Amino acid sequence: MQIARGNALRLSLSAACFPAYDVNPGTCAPPGAARLIDAKIMTLTVSCGGSCPSQILLPILLPILLPIGDRT
């Protein structure tokens, strides 16, 4: 995928997406091992600036240059 200069990405955070994914009870138990009654309330935090900014590192991949006869 190539993102054009000046475009933006959107980050979507979710602690649950049932039924697409198993429920995360927030207990550190393996998936399917915890009972729903034991589930904890979770808070997702994304910091922005200050002493503990969050970051997402995306690699910049340079195109592979093939010899003219090898391009398809």
Side-chain angles (χ1 to χ4, degrees), residues 12-55:
S12 177
L13 300 176
S14 176
C17 189
F18 183 80
Y21 302 105
D22 288 336
V23 173
N24 181 349
T27 62
C28 297
R35 301 177 309 161
L36 289 181
I37 194 75
D38 298 325
K40 308 273 189 241
I41 295 175
M42 295 186 299
T43 302
L44 300 176
T45 302
V46 176
S47 301
C48 183
S51 62
C52 55
S54 296
Q55 65 179 344

